[in-house]
Amino acid sequence: MISEERVIRSEKIYEGKVVTLRCHTVELDGQRYGKREVVEHAGGACIVCFREDGSIPFVRQYRIATKKNLLELPAGFIEHDENPMTAALRELSEETGLEADSADFLLEAYTSPGFTNEKIYIFMCENPKQGEQYLDETEDLEVEYMQLDEALRMVKLGEIIDAKTIIGLYAAKEMRDKKDESSN
């Protein structure tokens, strides 16, 4: 049986706007001890949005951690005490100018639980209205639209490599396929 690790000492190494880094000393069964570096994160929200023509907005932006321009679904941080769906709809509006009143919850997932507690909440919406894009002053991105089948093809070719985007696309496809089956 796998036992829970007990934190016996915790040291805050760094606290920034987005993350906090802690180093935990943990005790395992049998008086064994180890170190665990943990990146604490408030969580994020992501949205798959289908416009009336079936196209999905993606944002292409440079990610310093990967040193690459990545194609991603609209997503961002959940602000303090913000509802995840509200965060997803806010990010959709800020990054693409598309506005929706509500979204369906698809799933939640830990991004990389080996070192971070970051959880992403993924939603889907349909038929948004066009509004105004309003990027943060440090955001630099381009909006691109494509059909779901094309996006899934790009996943298989390794052209879309962002995990939340891949998960969101496959979850949205499954939900849409179920809706199609139930309407037949």
Side-chain angles (χ1 to χ4, degrees):
M1 182 166 150
I2 300 171
S3 62
E4 185 176 318
E5 297 180 353
R6 293 170 296 285
V7 176
I8 58 173
R9 184 168 178 261
S10 183
E11 179 183 0
K12 187 187 299 182
I13 306 296
Y14 171 79
E15 184 171 14
K17 180 181 173 190
V18 176
V19 299
T20 298
L21 174 60
R22 292 189 185 275
C23 184
H24 299 301
T25 302
V26 298
E27 181 179 12
L28 298 89
D29 285 347
Q31 291 186 316
R32 296 175 297 142
Y33 299 90
K35 297 279 188 188
R36 303 290 184 258
E37 296 167 352
V38 176
V39 176
E40 296 175 347
H41 187 282
C46 174
I47 191 159
V48 184
C49 179
F50 291 92
R51 297 192 311 171
E52 198 169 319
D53 66 359
S55 65
I56 301 168
F58 292 84
V59 294
R60 186 175 298 279
Q61 56 190 326
Y62 184 78
R63 295 299 198 175
I64 192 75
T66 64
K67 297 181 179 73
K68 294 180 181 185
N69 283 311
L70 297 181
L71 194 59
E72 305 173 35
L73 290 168
F77 303 116
I78 297 173
E79 303 292 339
H80 180 69
D81 289 333
E82 187 177 32
N83 174 289
M85 183 178 75
T86 302
L89 294 171
R90 175 181 48 75
E91 289 294 334
L92 176 68
S93 179
E94 287 176 5
E95 293 181 352
T96 70
L98 295 172
E99 297 177 1
D101 295 325
S102 65
D104 295 319
F105 175 77
L106 292 176
L107 58 92
E108 62 187 59
Y110 285 104
T111 60
S112 191
F115 71 89
T116 183
N117 68 347
E118 179 189 21
K119 186 186 285 187
I120 188 106
Y121 299 84
I122 303 176
F123 296 87
M124 183 179 90
C125 71
E126 297 180 286
N127 303 320
K129 295 178 231 128
Q130 188 62 54
E132 291 289 319
Q133 180 188 47
Y134 53 103
L135 300 175
D136 293 338
E137 75 177 40
T138 60
E139 279 184 304
D140 185 20
L141 57 84
E142 294 175 359
V143 180
E144 299 178 22
Y145 294 91
M146 71 183 75
Q147 299 293 317
L148 179 59
D149 290 343
E150 174 63 11
L152 293 173
R153 186 185 73 75
M154 290 177 72
V155 168
K156 289 177 182 171
L157 293 173
E159 295 172 12
I160 292 178
I161 57 175
D162 173 62
K164 71 183 174 301
T165 298
I166 295 167
I167 294 167
L169 291 172
Y170 279 103
K173 179 177 176 18
E174 181 179 357
M175 180 177 270
R176 292 189 112 201
D177 288 349
K178 283 181 182 177
K179 281 183 182 180
D180 289 345
E181 288 173 14
S182 67
S183 67
N184 289 335

